[in-house]
Amino acid sequence: MKKKYIIMLVIVLLIIIAVAGWFIYGKIQQNGREYEIEQIATGDYQYFILRQDGNYGVINRAGDIIIEPEYTNVIIPNPTKAVFVCYDQNSNTSVFNQNKEQILTEYNQIQPIRLKNVASDLMYEKNMLTYVQDEKIGLINLEGEVLADPIYETIEALPYKEGELLVTLDGKVGVMNNKGNYMVEPKYDQITVDNYTTEENGYRYAGYIISNTTDEGYRYGYINVNGDMILQPEYTEISRIIDIQDTNNIYLIVAQNGQYGMFKNQEQIIGNEYQSISYNSENNTLTLEKTKKFGVSTLEGNIIIPVEYSQIDSTGEYIYATNTEGTASVYKEDGSPAEIDSNVYILDTDNENYQIKIDTAQGSVYSILNQSGEQITATTYTYINYLYDNYFIVSVSGGKVGVINDKEEQVIPIQYDAIEKLSGTDYIITRLSENTSTQLYDKDFNQLCDMANAIVDVEDTYVKVYNDTETKYFDLAGNEIQNTQALPDNQIYAKSQDGKWGFVDKSGNVVVDYIYDKTTDLNAYGYAGILLDGKWGVVNSQGEVIVEPTYTFNARTEPEFIKEYYKVEYGYGEFYFTK
């Protein structure tokens, strides 16, 4: 799956999640209850929604119409499978396969399950549908096998957790996975996800905050991802410290009668005697508040700074405690006094050899410290952010940014308006707003290209930089490559000559003459765009013109075609093809 970058005029570090070009099954094992989360690369899609004259149908990746556009809505839960849920004018549903045959006819009122708060290119559960029988709701897979009998009042997606459903049985809610097994039995009035997430697994290992209604209001408890009851529902408030990346231990802040405490799993570490407890991720401590006084404790509940200060600030490895007179004392993360100015903040970096110092007494002046705590920069910087190795993104008065090494040598001149590193690659991108140009640098800070109004696509094996008139490809090792290397399975390739574009085969023989203002390379479905006089058309993998340049698009990104149809994105993760 490609990622597009239109560089903004801010300093950002992007996290790019590259999706593999094959099916990935993320298996979750919870007390023997295994289920699968299927991730599908867009290049593997076989079926697409077609929109014509306000109605909807289905086409395949060759552009053939599978379902005529005669429905008010069509949903394809899994675009690799021929299961199409079609809605008529009365919102009744019929389900068809690739042969236009109606399937799953033994079930009534079939509905896809829309995901909630899940970052996905697909907005529905990929292998589950609900159905209705005798006014109760059941669950089937896309093959029509019953996963859950029709005994439920409601079945809907559990927010944040793809593959898990919130079900209501006899007025009580529980959680069921996509194999039809309970993760939490339906015994509660409310269930929410604790929002614990990791970069590798997302919300899959988040636990469940349960609650029941009592005469005094809601009472909350906690069940972990294995289905174990950690806390009974007897607290007025529960929240998990989700910044602690520890799958073996769960830290829960709980409240009773307005007083907060903390549990580590089932052991109460801090008693319910505080007005608030907050976690400091910079130094792995807790700030405690009692009667408008603040102090600090470790995660094990040991008080390292007395609860007697009017304010606590944690920055990096240091803790700044301010008394009622406004005087600040500085402590190390173990609570021992630190001999630094209270106007100075020290930030750790991902490299143990360096720290970043901020002097607020001089108007937030940044500098770099070495492993011994010695300042190794002399220039007055208004911003410093660690990049990698011994390199830092820096900014000076006036807002321009660049990259320096630990000897303060400028490896990228401090003259740009924005810098970002493409995570998952060794590439750095800079931008100048005065001429809207984008520059691509390799890991050794060699400038590879400079292109106006550029868009950057990061693919699994290469990076593509393009605008309205040119396109460049780079492998992940920092080398510029030809499109024949980036797209070895294509039959024809976009090529320019004397300012005009056409197509050649792998041997360089001209297949389509150089008559266009721009051409795109073939997409995963075997179609490419041709631009002439501001209008786009389509060619197939043999270079045959399917649509003469006719379409006008406002988007800066290259259009995507399947046969005579072009892609329209109308919401995150949702799109259709039309003409």
Side-chain angles (χ1 to χ4, degrees), residues 37-192:
I37 302 297
E38 183 179 351
Q39 298 177 354
I40 306 171
T42 54
D44 291 319
Y45 290 11
Q46 301 297 317
Y47 304 101
F48 306 87
I49 294 173
L50 170 66
R51 186 176 189 270
Q52 289 292 107
D53 300 323
N55 292 321
Y56 295 85
V58 178
I59 60 172
N60 62 18
R61 62 189 292 129
D64 303 322
I65 293 179
I66 302 300
I67 303 296
E68 294 291 339
E70 55 190 19
Y71 295 93
T72 58
N73 192 21
V74 172
I75 294 173
I76 306 175
N78 186 329
T80 70
K81 298 179 179 179
V83 178
F84 317 123
V85 183
C86 302
Y87 295 77
D88 65 18
Q89 292 181 343
N90 297 316
S91 297
N92 297 317
T93 58
S94 300
V95 184
F96 296 93
N97 64 15
Q98 74 275 19
N99 299 318
K100 306 181 184 179
E101 300 166 337
Q102 192 169 352
I103 59 174
L104 307 180
T105 54
E106 64 269 39
Y107 302 104
N108 298 318
Q109 301 180 45
I110 288 176
Q111 296 288 342
I113 303 170
R114 187 176 179 87
L115 300 175
K116 296 181 179 180
N117 306 103
V118 173
S120 172
D121 288 328
L122 299 173
M123 299 306 294
Y124 295 87
E125 289 286 353
K126 303 180 187 70
N127 66 350
M128 293 184 287
L129 302 166
T130 63
Y131 70 100
V132 177
Q133 180 177 316
D134 298 328
E135 299 184 349
K136 295 291 186 178
I137 302 173
L139 190 69
I140 58 174
N141 62 22
L142 297 192
E143 289 71 40
E145 299 170 339
V146 174
L147 301 174
D149 291 330
I151 60 174
Y152 299 96
E153 291 95 73
T154 65
I155 297 179
E156 59 187 36
L158 182 66
Y160 302 103
K161 299 198 76 172
E162 183 177 0
E164 297 188 22
L165 306 172
L166 198 65
V167 300
T168 306
L169 178 64
D170 299 330
K172 295 294 184 178
V173 297
V175 178
M176 177 184 292
N177 68 22
N178 62 17
K179 297 295 184 181
N181 299 318
Y182 285 137
M183 314 304 289
V184 179
E185 292 189 8
K187 298 179 178 179
Y188 306 98
D189 292 333
Q190 267 189 359
I191 297 177
T192 58

Side-chain angles (χ1 to χ4, degrees), residues 51 87 89 97 137 182 197 220 282 284 297 318-319 346 355 362 367 376-377 391 401 423 451 461 469 527-528 531 535:
R51 186 176 189 270
Y87 295 77
Q89 292 181 343
N97 64 15
I137 302 173
Y182 285 137
T197 181
Y220 297 88
E282 297 89 349
N284 211 34
S297 133
Y318 295 104
I319 302 168
I346 308 296
Q355 292 178 312
Q362 302 180 48
S367 54
I376 58 176
T377 51
Y391 300 107
V401 294
S423 279
M451 189 180 296
T461 59
T469 59
Y527 295 94
L531 178 67
K535 297 184 183 298

Side-chain angles (χ1 to χ4, degrees), residues 265-533:
N265 302 318
Q266 294 175 309
E267 179 185 1
Q268 185 150 21
I269 299 298
I270 297 175
N272 290 77
E273 56 181 295
Y274 298 97
Q275 278 73 64
S276 71
I277 299 175
S278 58
Y279 175 66
N280 307 312
S281 59
E282 297 89 349
N283 46 45
N284 211 34
T285 61
L286 300 166
T287 296
L288 311 176
E289 178 191 4
K290 181 187 289 188
T291 61
K292 297 185 179 180
K293 298 293 183 182
F294 298 87
V296 177
S297 133
T298 67
L299 286 182
E300 303 306 318
N302 301 316
I303 303 294
I304 57 174
I305 296 177
V307 184
E308 60 185 34
Y309 292 92
S310 59
Q311 182 174 325
I312 295 287
D313 297 298
S314 292
T315 304
E317 63 183 85
Y318 295 104
I319 302 168
Y320 300 79
T322 305
N323 62 23
T324 54
E325 287 76 35
T327 302
S329 301
V330 185
Y331 297 90
K332 298 178 181 178
E333 56 189 4
D334 62 1
S336 61
E339 297 180 359
I340 65 170
D341 191 315
S342 61
N343 293 307
V344 172
Y345 294 85
I346 308 296
L347 307 179
D348 291 329
T349 70
D350 291 335
N351 188 327
E352 63 181 8
N353 295 315
Y354 305 104
Q355 292 178 312
I356 294 173
K357 171 185 172 184
I358 308 172
D359 191 340
T360 60
Q362 302 180 48
S364 294
V365 173
Y366 287 70
S367 54
I368 302 170
L369 307 181
N370 63 17
Q371 194 173 30
S372 301
E374 301 167 334
Q375 184 169 318
I376 58 176
T377 51
T379 304
T380 300
Y381 296 104
T382 58
Y383 174 85
I384 296 177
N385 189 34
Y386 178 72
L387 187 56
Y388 58 80
D389 293 341
N390 61 328
Y391 300 107
F392 301 81
I393 296 174
V394 299
S395 180
V396 294
S397 178
K400 296 297 183 180
V401 294
V403 177
I404 64 171
N405 61 22
D406 56 2
K407 296 181 175 59
E408 229 172 337
E409 299 166 335
Q410 295 186 28
V411 294
I412 293 181
I414 305 175
Q415 64 183 32
Y416 296 100
D417 297 294
I419 289 181
E420 61 181 270
K421 182 181 184 298
L422 302 183
S423 279
T425 78
D426 290 323
Y427 290 115
I428 296 170
I429 287 180
T430 61
R431 175 162 178 172
L432 281 169
S433 60
E434 59 192 32
N435 58 5
T436 64
S437 64
T438 297
Q439 300 75 33
L440 182 71
Y441 289 85
D442 65 17
K443 66 177 181 179
D444 298 318
F445 304 102
N446 300 307
Q447 189 179 111
L448 303 177
C449 77
D450 187 344
M451 189 180 296
N453 297 307
I455 295 172
V456 180
D457 289 353
V458 177
E459 304 284 357
D460 292 331
T461 59
Y462 63 88
V463 173
K464 175 182 175 182
V465 185
Y466 66 95
N467 61 14
D468 291 339
T469 59
E470 62 178 323
T471 302
K472 291 181 178 291
Y473 293 88
F474 301 89
D475 65 23
L476 299 185
N479 306 305
E480 184 171 3
I481 58 176
Q482 299 300 312
N483 51 4
T484 53
Q485 298 168 279
L487 306 163
D489 296 329
N490 282 8
Q491 295 173 264
I492 60 173
Y493 298 88
K495 193 175 189 310
S496 64
Q497 180 174 293
D498 300 327
K500 289 294 183 179
W501 288 73
F503 291 91
V504 298
D505 63 19
K506 290 184 178 181
S507 300
N509 302 311
V510 175
V511 177
V512 176
D513 287 336
Y514 302 104
I515 60 174
Y516 297 104
D517 298 325
K518 180 71 189 295
T519 58
T520 74
D521 275 304
L522 293 176
N523 60 25
Y525 317 113
Y527 295 94
I530 50 177
L531 178 67
L532 184 64
D533 298 329

Side-chain angles (χ1 to χ4, degrees), residues 158 166-167 172-175 183-195 206-214 217-225 227-240 252 254-255:
L158 182 66
L166 198 65
V167 300
K172 295 294 184 178
V173 297
V175 178
M183 314 304 289
V184 179
E185 292 189 8
K187 298 179 178 179
Y188 306 98
D189 292 333
Q190 267 189 359
I191 297 177
T192 58
V193 177
D194 68 18
N195 287 340
Y208 313 95
I209 297 173
I210 57 174
S211 66
N212 282 328
T213 306
T214 69
Y218 280 112
R219 290 296 180 265
Y220 297 88
Y222 186 87
I223 294 176
N224 70 13
V225 72
D228 302 323
M229 179 72 72
I230 301 300
L231 296 179
Q232 293 289 336
E234 56 189 35
Y235 299 91
T236 54
E237 187 178 337
I238 288 181
S239 62
R240 181 176 180 177
L252 299 168
V254 303

